[in-house]
Amino acid sequence: MDFKKNKVNGDDNEKLKPVRNYIWRPFVIFFLSTIFLIIIQLLDFNPEISGFRIKKINLFLDIVKKKEKKKITSLDNKHFNINESTNIAMAGRLKPEKSVELSENFMSQNDSSVNKNEFCKTEDFNTDRIVDFSHKRNDMKRLAAKLKQVKMANKKVRIAYYGDSVIEGDILVQDFRNYLQDNFGGRNVGFVPVTSVFSGFRQTIFHSYSPDWQTYSFLSNEKNVPLGISGYTYIPKILNYDSALDENAILKDIDNSSWTEYRAAKIYKTLQFFNSVSIYYSHVKTKSYAVFTIDDTKRIIRPLEIGEDLETITITPDKVFRKVKINILSNAEMFIYGVNFDDKGGVYIDNFSYRGISGIEIKKIDGGLIKKFNDILHYDLIILQYGSNIIDPVYKTYKWYQRQMVSAIKYINENIKTAAVLTISVHDISIKNDNGEYDTNPRIPLLVKEQYNIANLSKSSFWNLYYVMGSEKSMVRYVENKQANYDFTHFNMSGGRILAELLYRAIINKKDN
């Protein structure tokens, strides 16, 4: 027992007083907590509160012996559904383990709030092919016909690929682009942002920029600025120069201006150098300049058009180049929307990824700007790959999402009248079950069904990525084969390459037929 000295009655006499020892208390708390958790486990207690279900407690999960799973170590026909007659499946196709009927059973067993009769039983639902609901317009056939003309007539086909974090960093899109450019021509990555949260790991272009840009977007637009075709708008640093000065005097301030820089990548032969570079801007109020520095040697200065309309500047040097730095000099607020790298003919795919959104945010893009961008870029196909950010047990139905996305596709059709629209379903996403094993999130089949209905109601097209990648528990196999991350949600470059080839072959199948 410990003692301490205390003064008694204010005098100098000291008295030793014992100090109580409470070291036993944490052990009592630990013991009582363990007893409580064991009781909860034995009672099978996992109630639902305000739409959120409390996870079932399994105190001994990590020490209970589990049945050993056979790990897939190679991608061969034994594990994949190879269907040569349709020219769709290839050495990355994961075989679906269950039919639609089994999918319904899976849903009813794992989530009582899901009505299994809601699941789509349409004959053409579970298919590798793209299902075209455009009827007399024959959108996908028109796209196929234009692809056929690309090489012969040196024309362009342009695709806007909208998605969430699943395609961030050009995952999936980079290989889809490469397959098309290898077969139909074209080079470079297309439309790219001015600043980017994923510039550090994108492999198809190397990107750096100054930290003084103001960025506005779907989820961050407090000034309510008009958003461009990518869902982003950028405002460069405002310089304090006298607009009455001549060009040479203004350019002395170039080192203080906002800049963005791009270098060509060697990952694919179609990306190893640039042919041209364009910037898109609007709302220029005073004398302003864009300065292009090519390969650190050649400087090209272009004045910006004063006015509110969307304008473009395109630089096409005498020879190809591998690096360009763009400085924007302005002494008043103006808007920059992005940069474009392309060539005279071929196929171009613009990756418009934005993490954390559901797709309905597309209606926030300024409609007038969409039309003006399309007048310049001429889109032939709009791909929408969303859904992973609305998988939540709080939603009992996705009818609300169906209505919102049909409205969003209508908005696209109103502003880009010449383009087909393709909805790609949500992919498989796995979560831990009560036994600590990964299963398909039971909300996935329900959402896939609604995305099918979205395409049907909007008279656009649909591709069932959930089915194509292997349906239930396919994400588990992708993770085991190191083709997806351990969050059981996002693909890596290897997994993206598999899906890109499946999508490419689905497009080509339309062309071949």
Side-chain angles (χ1 to χ4, degrees):
M1 181 177 292
D2 294 333
F3 292 88
K4 67 178 182 179
K5 294 180 179 180
N6 292 317
K7 290 186 177 181
V8 182
N9 298 326
D11 57 25
D12 293 332
N13 296 324
E14 293 184 345
K15 182 180 180 181
L16 292 177
K17 183 179 179 181
V19 178
R20 293 184 179 275
N21 191 337
Y22 297 104
I23 195 170
W24 54 270
R25 287 188 175 181
F27 295 100
V28 173
I29 294 172
F30 173 78
F31 177 75
L32 293 176
S33 299
T34 303
I35 295 297
F36 174 75
L37 290 173
I38 291 174
I39 293 172
I40 293 295
Q41 178 176 324
L42 293 175
L43 291 176
D44 196 24
F45 184 74
N46 60 329
E48 184 173 317
I49 302 173
S50 300
F52 294 94
R53 184 166 294 279
I54 304 299
K55 187 173 179 64
K56 183 180 177 181
I57 295 173
N58 189 343
L59 193 62
F60 307 106
L61 177 64
D62 292 332
I63 59 176
V64 173
K65 187 176 180 180
K66 299 176 184 177
K67 184 184 285 186
E68 190 173 341
K69 290 184 178 180
K70 183 178 179 181
K71 185 175 181 180
I72 300 174
T73 56
S74 62
L75 305 181
D76 53 30
N77 292 359
K78 182 179 179 181
H79 300 102
F80 301 111
N81 183 13
I82 304 300
N83 185 353
E84 295 178 356
S85 63
T86 60
N87 195 31
I88 291 295
M90 25 59 77
R93 166 62 197 274
L94 292 165
K95 183 178 179 180
E97 293 183 342
K98 303 178 182 178
S99 63
V100 169
E101 289 74 22
L102 289 179
S103 294
E104 293 167 5
N105 292 334
F106 172 80
M107 291 164 61
S108 62
Q109 291 169 4
N110 288 273
D111 193 340
S112 59
S113 67
V114 177
N115 181 359
K116 65 180 182 178
N117 295 323
E118 290 277 315
F119 198 79
C120 183
K121 296 181 179 180
T122 308
E123 185 179 10
D124 58 0
F125 181 77
N126 278 353
T127 175
D128 300 271
R129 296 176 182 269
I130 293 172
V131 183
D132 190 347
F133 294 109
S134 62
H135 305 305
K136 292 182 180 180
R137 292 201 316 268
N138 289 319
D139 286 345
M140 299 308 294
K141 285 186 177 180
R142 287 193 294 109
L143 174 68
K146 191 158 187 181
L147 278 172
K148 191 174 181 180
Q149 298 172 359
V150 165
K151 275 190 174 180
M152 296 185 297
N154 198 32
K155 292 185 177 181
K156 283 185 180 181
V157 166
R158 196 169 200 106
I159 299 171
Y161 202 128
Y162 287 92
D164 51 28
S165 58
V166 175
I167 63 168
E168 195 173 73
D170 231 13
I171 290 177
L172 191 161
V173 180
Q174 65 181 33
D175 293 289
F176 181 49
R177 182 190 298 113
N178 186 53
Y179 291 135
L180 286 168
Q181 290 184 339
D182 265 354
N183 283 274
F184 301 104
R187 53 176 62 248
N188 301 152
V189 296
F191 199 103
V192 291
V194 173
T195 70
S196 171
V197 296
F198 51 79
S199 59
F201 68 90
R202 181 170 182 172
Q203 299 179 6
T204 48
I205 192 169
F206 298 109
H207 181 200
S208 57
Y209 48 88
S210 61
D212 47 21
W213 292 90
Q214 297 179 52
T215 301
Y216 298 93
S217 59
F218 289 134
L219 304 180
S220 178
N221 191 9
E222 59 274 12
K223 293 182 67 172
N224 199 31
V225 303
L227 299 179
I229 189 74
S230 68
Y232 284 91
T233 297
Y234 310 91
I235 299 177
K237 178 182 179 181
I238 298 174
L239 302 175
N240 295 318
Y241 61 76
D242 185 352
S243 58
L245 296 174
D246 61 22
E247 179 180 301
N248 291 330
I250 292 174
L251 289 177
K252 289 181 180 179
D253 226 357
I254 190 170
D255 290 337
N256 296 321
S257 63
S258 297
W259 56 269
T260 184
E261 182 178 275
Y262 307 90
R263 287 187 294 116
K266 295 182 179 180
I267 184 172
Y268 303 116
K269 64 181 181 181
T270 56
L271 304 180
Q272 293 178 359
F273 54 81
F274 302 131
N275 299 83
S276 67
V277 55
S278 304
I279 63 167
Y280 305 96
Y281 65 93
S282 72
H283 293 76
V284 179
K285 300 178 179 64
T286 64
K287 187 187 293 185
S288 304
Y289 296 91
V291 182
F292 299 82
T293 305
I294 307 296
D295 287 335
D296 293 324
T297 56
K298 185 177 182 180
R299 178 177 285 181
I300 301 172
I301 303 167
R302 291 287 185 269
L304 304 182
E305 291 288 337
I306 295 177
E308 294 190 354
D309 285 343
L310 177 66
E311 302 286 352
T312 180
I313 295 176
T314 299
I315 302 297
T316 307
D318 297 334
K319 60 180 182 179
V320 296
F321 55 101
R322 297 204 69 248
K323 181 179 178 182
V324 60
K325 182 177 183 179
I326 306 171
N327 291 76
I328 303 296
L329 292 92
S330 180
N331 65 351
E333 183 178 270
M334 59 167 295
F335 303 147
I336 303 289
Y337 299 106
V339 179
N340 178 46
F341 296 93
D342 62 12
D343 201 1
K344 295 179 180 178
V347 181
Y348 299 92
I349 303 180
D350 301 332
N351 184 335
F352 296 143
S353 63
Y354 195 113
R355 65 174 61 171
I357 67 171
S358 66
I360 63 179
E361 294 84 357
I362 283 180
K363 293 180 68 175
K364 294 182 180 181
I365 300 176
D366 186 86
L369 276 176
I370 293 178
K371 292 177 181 177
K372 291 174 182 177
F373 268 106
N374 192 51
D375 289 341
I376 298 170
L377 297 172
H378 308 291
Y379 286 103
D380 300 286
L381 175 64
I382 311 296
I383 296 177
L384 306 174
Q385 184 175 340
Y386 293 106
S388 60
N389 292 303
I390 60 169
I391 300 299
D392 195 308
V394 73
Y395 298 129
K396 303 298 184 184
T397 174
Y398 287 101
K399 292 292 184 183
W400 65 270
Y401 184 65
Q402 177 201 104
R403 292 190 293 271
Q404 294 279 4
M405 282 304 296
V406 168
S407 177
I409 293 174
K410 181 180 179 182
Y411 185 73
I412 292 171
N413 288 331
E414 288 173 351
N415 294 294
I416 307 179
K417 298 183 182 299
T418 57
V421 176
L422 171 62
T423 294
I424 295 180
S425 82
V426 68
H427 57 284
D428 184 44
I429 296 174
S430 295
I431 57 175
K432 275 189 176 182
N433 60 23
D434 293 339
N435 296 319
E437 297 179 342
Y438 281 93
D439 280 335
T440 292
N441 189 314
R443 299 286 173 178
I444 294 290
L446 180 63
L447 178 56
V448 173
K449 173 258 180 181
E450 288 301 345
Q451 290 177 311
Y452 177 92
N453 290 335
I454 286 167
N456 192 355
L457 292 170
S458 62
K459 295 182 173 58
S460 54
S461 298
F462 174 79
W463 190 56
N464 192 341
L465 176 57
Y466 171 67
Y467 172 78
V468 168
M469 71 175 285
S471 300
E472 292 172 17
K473 296 189 179 181
S474 54
M475 179 55 79
V476 175
R477 299 195 292 277
Y478 271 76
V479 172
E480 289 174 347
N481 285 289
K482 295 181 171 57
Q483 295 155 349
N485 300 331
Y486 282 99
D487 62 358
F488 290 82
T489 299
H490 294 89
F491 302 98
N492 57 26
M493 295 295 180
S494 177
R497 188 174 302 115
I498 291 174
L499 303 182
E501 185 168 351
L502 289 166
L503 177 56
Y504 166 74
R505 290 181 179 273
I507 296 283
I508 296 306
N509 185 68
K510 280 291 181 182
K511 183 185 84 69
D512 291 343
N513 285 281

